[in-house]
Amino acid sequence: MDIRREGFSVIAGPCAAESREQMLETARAAADGGASMLRAGAWKPRTSPHSFQGLGEEGLRLLAEAGEATGLPVVTELVDVRHLELVAELADVIQIGARNMQNFALLTAVGGTGKPVLLKRGPSATLEELLLAAEYVTCEGNDDVILCERGIRTFEDAYRYTLDLAAVPVLKERTHLPVIVDPSHAAGRRELVEPLSLAAAAVGADGVMVEIHPNPDEALCDGPQSLHAEDFAGFAERVKAAAREPQAA
Ligand code: PEP
Ligand code: MN
């Protein structure tokens, strides 16, 4: 899946699939706003074992159903090789999350499915390590990998992570793979998502991936960083317009 075919790509969805209603409502907002893909977590890698872990297979099926209802391809995270068959069957793109960027068994396994892979940079990984992780997938004969900058861990604690936007042009120097930016997990709060998305467009990213929710205050996961679904269309329009503006050389 070459996400660059459609120009700047905006991938959107809730952090986690929570219910049929929530998924369908979010998917409609994503589709109406011109999203290129719908994303939701079914198995969530949470820092605390006491946090909501996702609906598992049920969540995956709700995501697939919402994708079908709106005509959007779907992406979800694979956290465990035991779910590979099911995820490969129901998702169009398989996400490998930041925490699993160097889970080499998982990378090799997804590479073997031939499905497009969205690979997130680990919060402490160098760009070289990210590129080598991508090679675990490409070594299986699968060149369909999208790289995703999602913030790295620094001393700064004013936001969740530090979005490393320099990663975008540097990755583009070093690889032909598409590079997208996830400002939601980097920032941890909604107000920063649009300015960081505009900045991602300005540094030449191929797209952004953002969290949206019909009712972020009630979200079971990552509500504070989720855009209101009703605001998505305006957001997407402004960011796509910024991506079309010619950049200074
Ligand atoms: C996610 O994309 O839902 C997620 C958990 O992000 P990350 O792997 O970047 O922490
Ligand atoms: Mn999230």
Side-chain angles (χ1 to χ4, degrees), residues 7-65:
F8 192 82
S9 174
V10 182
I11 302 168
C15 183
E18 298 170 4
S19 68
R20 171 168 288 121
E21 225 180 20
Q22 172 246 16
M23 267 322 304
L24 286 173
E25 210 178 314
T26 311
R28 276 190 217 107
D32 291 348
S36 54
M37 238 191 284
L38 177 67
R39 188 208 89 120
W43 288 272
K44 295 302 304 177
R46 302 305 300 276
T47 302
S48 165
H50 309 296
S51 302
F52 175 59
Q53 302 287 310
L55 295 179
E57 179 172 344
E58 186 192 344
L60 178 61
R61 293 193 184 280
L62 291 175
L63 169 65
E65 183 188 326

Side-chain angles (χ1 to χ4, degrees), residues 15 39 44 185 211 222 225:
C15 183
R39 188 208 89 120
K44 295 302 304 177
H185 289 89
E211 288 188 337
D222 285 348
Q225 70 197 31

Side-chain angles (χ1 to χ4, degrees), residues 44-108:
K44 295 302 304 177
R46 302 305 300 276
T47 302
S48 165
H50 309 296
S51 302
F52 175 59
Q53 302 287 310
L55 295 179
E57 179 172 344
E58 186 192 344
L60 178 61
R61 293 193 184 280
L62 291 175
L63 169 65
E65 183 188 326
E68 251 172 56
T70 51
L72 289 174
V74 300
V75 52
T76 197
E77 178 170 351
L78 177 74
V79 296
D80 188 322
V81 78
R82 286 174 297 182
H83 311 142
L84 180 63
E85 211 173 307
L86 201 56
V87 170
E89 182 194 326
L90 292 170
D92 300 289
V93 176
I94 302 177
Q95 175 177 324
I96 299 295
R99 291 162 186 80
N100 275 314
M101 188 203 86
Q102 287 187 311
N103 183 334
F104 303 121
L106 205 53
L107 293 170
T108 302

